[in-house]
Amino acid sequence: MKYNTIIIGGGLSGLVAGISLAGRGKSVAIISSGQSALHFSSGSFGLLGRTPDGHAVERPLEAIGRLPATHPYNIMGTGLVSELAAGVPELFARAGITLKGQVSRNHLRLSPFGRCCPTWLTMADFITCDGPERNDIKKVAIVNLRGFLDFYPGYLVDGLASHGIGCTVDTVTTGELERLRRSSTEMRPSTIARHLVGDELVRFAAELNRVSGAADAVLIPAVIGFDSENELVELRGMVSRPVYCVATTPMSVCGLRAQMMLRDYFEHLGGTYLLGDNVEKGNFGADGRLESIHTVNMGDDMLAADDFILAAGGIFSRGLVADPQHICEPLFGLDVDAPEDREQWYSRDFFARQPYMTYGVVTDTSFRPSRKGVTVPNLRAIGSVLSGYDPLAEDSGAGVAILTALAVTQDRER
């Protein structure tokens, strides 16, 4: 089978790249091995939340110039970052995902542990504010589900109290939730979301009205709306106080929903999504171009394309792998920016920044990687497989994933 472009990796960066290309009429296939980091999303997409030295960032575009020259944002340039970032909410809206926020200034989101963290874009489910001093909410009702263990009201109370916000805490249930509670394995966000629909959602709304009192807003765990935003819109219409979600741990329904909605939109545009398959190797021509790939499920049938995009993720997604001596890119043997000395890979302080988080494949200024020092002309690398930045410490992982995906697909179109 032959495509214009084959994308290896079906997470956030791969899906955005696929949507961008398929929306321009290209034939595109995405090969996804399974779950991606998007499944663990907090509901927010960070552009740049903290500088490398740990300071919170209020205006991310202004802070880009203080990043290392090898950072993907500096490779793209502040102008292109600003231009592409401005169009992201509309792209997600076309997939049915509502985002709030602006590129010029970070807003604050409430973490599951009660911290107010700067971020770029947040899904409509969640409570946000421009800053503690600009928040008009003075009292909230925090409402958990009886038997649900992935939500921590105590942390929220402590965190909100530090900003002068008073809290009440209650636990509610419904008949269907009580049935689920008989098995602890059923009280998971995705399972709960599948059941809080229709009449059960009406009962849940009645419980929220019963306990919300004089609160300015109601905070609930993010367990509403498995495959669309419709249930949350319905719930908000039935509750007398504004209702906002707080991300659960380890994952929220919103990440699963975003993955499904982006995939559905990609397929609606004509894209092919090959789920549950793994690339085994690539076939390179004499001119150094990647001509085709072999996957586990396709056997001897090769997948060919004019262009390829590597969006396989970083070390946690096995886009990079490590043995006792080396960190390498396993699919194509691409050059990796990582020292040979294993002692330099990590800090013995578990809570310190870990050097290996900045390692990734070596690319040119168009994000074309190299093999043995020779650039692969029809392959691009995007997202967390790139070197030069720390997606966790900077809270820049989603921003780099989205914007590098848009940058390389835009460059293809020129």
Side-chain angles (χ1 to χ4, degrees):
M1 286 181 282
K2 178 71 179 289
Y3 298 89
N4 293 134
T5 304
I6 291 176
I7 301 170
I8 301 160
L12 181 59
S13 59
L15 282 166
V16 170
I19 287 169
S20 177
L21 289 168
R24 293 182 172 97
K26 305 295 184 181
S27 62
V28 187
I30 293 177
I31 301 170
S32 175
S33 60
Q35 281 192 353
S36 74
L38 190 54
H39 287 214
F40 301 91
S41 171
S42 67
S44 289
F45 301 101
L47 181 67
L48 183 64
R50 292 176 294 276
T51 58
D53 57 5
H55 290 92
V57 170
E58 183 175 0
R59 299 185 183 278
L61 293 177
E62 296 177 7
I64 287 175
R66 302 197 298 271
L67 299 174
T70 56
H71 196 289
Y73 290 156
N74 275 326
I75 292 175
M76 296 168 62
T78 304
L80 182 58
V81 169
S82 176
E83 175 190 337
L84 295 177
V88 171
E90 182 184 350
L91 183 151
F92 276 70
R94 293 198 298 269
I97 301 169
T98 305
L99 299 176
K100 49 188 175 180
Q102 53 187 336
V103 67
S104 60
R105 182 174 185 170
N106 281 332
H107 60 266
L108 298 180
R109 68 174 178 89
L110 184 64
S111 80
F113 300 103
R115 293 182 58 210
C116 289
C117 305
T119 195
W120 168 35
L121 296 171
T122 297
M123 295 173 70
D125 310 42
F126 297 92
I127 187 168
T128 63
C129 69
D130 290 333
E133 74 283 359
R134 295 181 288 275
N135 182 27
D136 58 358
I137 295 176
K138 302 303 179 185
K139 183 179 180 181
V140 300
I142 302 172
V143 183
N144 195 12
L145 312 179
R146 184 184 300 168
F148 184 58
L149 303 179
D150 296 333
F151 186 65
Y152 307 100
Y155 289 116
L156 297 177
V157 170
D158 291 344
L160 293 172
S162 69
H163 297 293
I165 299 175
C167 303
T168 62
V169 178
D170 280 283
T171 302
V172 301
T173 191
T174 66
E176 187 64 19
L177 293 180
E178 277 297 288
R179 187 188 69 78
L180 291 177
R181 196 166 69 88
R182 295 171 190 167
S183 171
S184 60
T185 61
E186 294 299 319
M187 288 298 285
R188 297 173 297 182
S190 57
T191 307
I192 294 168
R194 288 188 179 98
H195 287 82
L196 281 179
V197 297
D199 291 343
E200 203 64 21
L201 190 66
V202 174
R203 297 184 188 99
F204 182 57
E207 287 295 295
L208 295 183
N209 281 322
R210 181 178 65 82
V211 301
S212 60
D216 298 317
V218 180
L219 301 185
I220 62 173
V223 294
I224 303 292
F226 181 74
D227 53 13
S228 79
E229 299 174 359
N230 294 340
E231 285 76 19
L232 185 60
V233 172
E234 290 179 30
L235 180 68
R236 285 172 167 165
M238 293 185 286
V239 178
S240 60
R241 308 294 181 189
V243 178
Y244 299 101
C245 296
V246 178
T248 60
T249 56
M251 71 173 67
S252 291
V253 167
C254 61
L256 300 173
R257 183 204 309 156
Q259 174 87 29
M260 290 189 293
M261 294 178 77
L262 289 171
R263 174 186 169 180
D264 288 347
Y265 184 52
F266 169 68
E267 292 180 324
H268 170 75
L269 293 172
T272 301
Y273 194 90
L274 301 175
L275 179 62
D277 203 355
N278 291 277
V279 176
E280 290 188 305
K281 66 176 182 178
N283 302 304
F284 290 84
D287 59 356
R289 294 175 64 86
L290 179 59
E291 296 178 343
S292 62
I293 56 174
H294 288 275
T295 73
V296 173
N297 291 349
M298 298 298 292
D300 293 333
D301 294 329
M302 295 182 295
L303 295 175
D306 301 316
D307 296 292
F308 295 82
I309 296 175
L310 180 63
I315 202 156
F316 292 119
S317 303
R318 296 191 63 78
L320 301 174
V321 297
D323 61 29
Q325 286 77 39
H326 306 94
I327 295 178
C328 64
E329 187 282 312
L331 299 182
F332 307 126
L334 303 176
D335 298 333
V336 173
D337 181 17
E340 291 292 325
D341 182 5
R342 182 183 176 87
E343 291 295 316
Q344 297 182 41
W345 296 356
Y346 60 92
S347 168
R348 293 183 182 274
D349 179 354
F350 182 81
F351 296 100
R353 291 183 55 144
Q354 297 296 328
Y356 67 82
M357 289 299 298
T358 66
Y359 301 161
V361 299
V362 177
T363 72
D364 64 11
T365 56
S366 295
F367 298 113
R368 288 188 292 252
S370 61
R371 299 173 74 226
K372 299 179 180 179
V374 178
T375 298
V376 183
N378 67 330
L379 175 64
R380 305 293 181 98
I382 60 175
S384 54
V385 76
L386 294 169
S387 67
Y389 77 110
D390 187 328
L392 293 183
E394 300 169 4
D395 190 22
S396 61
V400 170
I402 294 169
L403 299 184
T404 56
L406 293 175
V408 303
T409 53
Q410 181 190 76
D411 189 49
R412 284 173 192 283
E413 190 66 11
R414 289 202 300 263

